[in-house]
Amino acid sequence: MKQEIPYKIYLNEKEIPRQWLNLRAFMDKKPAPLINPATLRPMTAEELSRVFCNELVKQELDDTTPYIDIPQEILDFYKMYRPSPLVRAYFLEKALDTPAKIYYKFEGNNTSGSHKLNSAIAQAYYAKSQGLRGVTTETGAGQWGTAMSMACSYFGLDCKVFMVKVSYEQKPFRREVMRTYGASVTPSPSPTTNIGRKILQEFPGTTGSLGCAISEAVEVAVSSEGYRYVLGSVLNQVLLHQSVIGLETKAALDKYDIVPDVIIGCAGGGSNLGGLIAPFMVEKLQGKANYRIVAVEPASCPSFTRGKYAYDFCDTGKVCPLAKMYTLGSGFIPSANHAGGLRYHGMTTTLSELYDQGLMEARSVEQTAVFEAAEQFARVEGILPAPESSHAIRAAIDEALRCKQTGEAKTIVFGLTGTGYFDMVAYQKYNDGEMSDYIPTDEDIAKGLAGLPKVE
Ligand SMILES: *Cc1c(COP(=O)(O)O)cnc(C)c1O
């Protein structure tokens, strides 16, 4: 293999980022603030601090400080699995016979198997610094719960995880990893909370949803002394912590004077994509560069491509503040055959605003096409990708195949957010030819949107 650019680009000690990048500080028109559903006024620090740690509330509300120092304790933890490699996908390029140059930033190289540990360790650190006993949270596919369990055990904090019931039953080993790190795991909805009991009464056979697990975790946090709630995506603070992905990616590319044409990431709540694009979007906002930035979402949960930009509830129980975002409505639940993750009904406010301003694109892909890309990637690049990450792989492959037709040697960078070892039920369905696609009808979408609160 002839290579001027190494297969993996690593950063040395001096090149690793020591500050997070706060993308909102660079935006002229800021994302809309979180508002209190009772008063319809922006949430104050005091209101938020009943739910979240004080320092994280400060980060949540800060849309002016461009760079924020990463505390030394967090830098120390990052050393266990960062910097993550930026890989030149030589083998994939060859398999596709494309003139495009493809790079991926691999975030799956830790036990949680995803980028989520980047924010989990930060949130646990601030909880510990505040002298808390523990945190509560929800997890869907299980990556966030695992990441939070690891982070809490590192700092000696208790961790109570509400895991979406269907996933609790389908992924017993995810649960066991969390318990190995000392967390307690409860299937949601559960009879242990008011909101859980209410949902169980209304929908006895329900297999749960992220929005519902969030409501339960928040309820336990606000009613337990010494506990706060932590969330793995969507929030500004999470995008801030995830900027470490983009900063490392940019530093690695700069080292070899590589300028990307297209940057692609999968989008669930928007945290890995928000982190990956942060330094690139800053250059775009400053008029210094003009990257194409592409969010990829499931056709079965299409918040960017078919949702509405409006204030909505962040959870099913409607206990959380309202956020202005591209949303399908907090009551939207992807069809039962959906196996590819990225099932949150809304999208982080920062990316929603950037998308609304036309600074980024979005496309949706069907899950069989996603798993096809996942297998193609696994067979040539070796890594078994998470279904979520495979949305970005699908879009990157499509872009590279277009280059093959036009003869353009574009540089494509995508985020490979994690590994898929716990997603073998989904892979099995695909391998057995039993996976199908369901695209919500306009009626399905309208039903979800009908539940939006009347705010403006
Ligand atoms: C959680 C997760 C995602 C989606 O979350 P974002 O907040 O949109 O980044 C993507 N990939 C993996 C592997 C995940 O665990």
Side-chain angles (χ1 to χ4, degrees):
M1 186 173 14
K2 197 178 121 219
Q3 28 174 281
E4 292 126 47
I5 309 289
Y7 181 62
K8 286 183 183 175
I9 305 178
Y10 278 108
L11 300 174
N12 65 36
E13 190 82 7
K14 284 209 190 93
E15 295 163 330
I16 59 171
R18 292 177 185 282
Q19 294 182 309
W20 290 305
L21 193 168
N22 186 10
L23 181 50
R24 288 173 297 159
F26 295 86
M27 295 168 68
D28 286 334
K29 183 165 179 245
K30 310 282 185 195
L34 294 174
I35 61 176
N36 182 327
T39 62
L40 297 186
R41 287 219 149 91
M43 291 292 290
T44 62
E46 199 191 332
E47 288 167 335
L48 285 170
S49 63
R50 288 174 35 226
V51 178
F52 301 108
C53 308
N54 298 338
E55 193 60 31
L56 293 167
V57 168
K58 223 170 102 191
Q59 294 179 355
E60 193 59 33
L61 296 176
D62 183 346
D63 59 9
T64 52
T65 311
Y67 292 93
I68 293 174
D69 286 343
I70 306 176
Q72 187 57 47
E73 288 87 340
I74 299 174
L75 286 172
D76 288 343
F77 186 89
Y78 278 171
K79 277 181 198 154
M80 281 194 238
Y81 69 102
R82 309 201 69 81
S84 71
L86 182 72
V87 184
R88 171 75 182 268
Y90 282 110
F91 299 109
L92 181 63
E93 289 171 20
K94 192 166 163 232
L96 298 173
D97 189 24
T98 174
K101 302 176 186 74
I102 309 173
Y103 295 84
Y104 58 90
K105 178 71 168 164
F106 180 47
E107 289 291 319
N109 222 345
N110 67 75
T111 296
S112 82
S114 82
H115 64 285
K116 294 213 170 63
L117 196 54
N118 300 333
S119 183
I121 195 63
Q123 298 193 42
Y125 168 78
Y126 292 118
K128 184 70 185 177
S129 311
Q130 195 175 323
L132 297 178
R133 282 182 54 201
V135 299
T136 70
T137 196
E138 78 297 323
T139 197
Q143 288 96 315
W144 170 247
T146 310
M148 210 54 228
S149 307
M150 291 173 70
C152 284
S153 86
Y154 183 76
F155 284 120
L157 289 163
D158 182 38
C159 181
K160 298 187 197 301
V161 181
F162 287 87
M163 185 170 188
V164 177
K165 191 182 274 169
V166 57
S167 166
Y168 181 90
E169 284 161 3
Q170 267 187 12
K171 300 185 177 186
F173 295 143
R174 260 287 173 219
R175 178 181 77 212
E176 242 29 71
V177 179
M178 289 184 252
R179 292 177 59 202
T180 300
Y181 284 93
S184 65
V185 188
T186 309
S188 165
S190 78
T192 66
T193 63
N194 290 329
I195 190 77
R197 282 189 290 271
K198 192 168 153 235
I199 292 173
L200 283 173
Q201 212 162 41
E202 261 178 69
F203 311 98
T206 181
T207 52
S209 72
L210 259 186
C212 166
I214 294 175
S215 305
E216 289 199 275
V218 170
E219 181 184 320
V220 172
V222 299
S223 58
S224 312
E225 183 72 33
Y227 281 78
R228 291 294 185 280
Y229 167 71
V230 290
L231 180 62
S233 181
V234 187
L235 295 173
N236 296 318
Q237 55 189 269
V238 184
L239 262 75
L240 175 74
H241 307 146
Q242 295 298 356
S243 68
V244 69
I245 304 172
L247 292 164
E248 282 184 11
T249 301
K250 182 92 173 45
L253 292 172
D254 285 351
K255 230 167 128 159
Y256 289 90
D257 295 321
I258 304 161
V259 181
D261 295 295
V262 194
I263 301 161
I264 298 170
C266 63
S271 74
N272 87 82
L273 181 61
L276 173 66
I277 67 173
F280 302 98
M281 186 55 88
V282 167
E283 290 190 335
K284 199 164 164 161
L285 287 163
Q286 294 173 333
K288 291 180 185 159
N290 194 15
Y291 310 105
R292 262 185 69 210
I293 293 173
V294 184
V296 192
E297 60 186 14
S300 49
C301 191
S303 34
F304 265 143
T305 50
R306 295 176 71 195
K308 192 170 160 189
Y309 192 30
Y311 268 104
D312 191 13
F313 294 100
C314 296
D315 63 322
T316 314
K318 306 183 177 178
V319 298
C320 294
L322 301 174
K324 188 176 179 192
M325 55 187 178
Y326 273 85
T327 180
L328 297 162
S330 62
F332 181 86
I333 296 184
S335 77
N337 72 349
H338 175 68
L342 309 175
R343 30 172 74 244
Y344 189 63
H345 66 273
M347 192 58 67
T348 185
T349 58
T350 299
L351 294 189
S352 291
E353 179 56 35
L354 290 167
Y355 180 65
D356 201 56
Q357 291 180 26
L359 289 161
M360 53 185 282
E361 307 163 26
R363 55 172 297 212
S364 71
V365 288
E366 292 171 32
Q367 64 179 358
T368 48
V370 166
F371 278 83
E372 186 195 345
E375 285 203 347
Q376 187 172 14
F377 182 84
R379 289 175 192 185
V380 293
E381 289 288 328
I383 296 168
L384 179 77
E388 291 91 339
S389 324
S390 306
H391 288 72
I393 300 177
R394 175 74 267 164
I397 289 179
D398 290 347
E399 191 69 34
L401 290 175
R402 266 194 295 280
C403 287
K404 184 175 170 178
Q405 282 179 346
T406 61
E408 288 172 285
K410 281 189 191 163
T411 297
I412 301 166
V413 173
F414 74 89
L416 187 70
T417 50
T419 46
Y421 305 121
F422 288 98
D423 299 286
M424 297 329 280
V425 172
Y427 272 94
Q428 181 182 21
K429 263 197 196 141
Y430 177 73
N431 289 331
D432 288 343
E434 283 168 7
M435 182 172 279
S436 56
D437 295 312
Y438 181 79
I439 303 179
T441 61
D442 289 342
E443 230 172 19
D444 295 334
I445 299 281
K447 219 165 101 192
L449 294 178
L452 290 178
K454 307 266 171 297
V455 174
E456 285 146 314

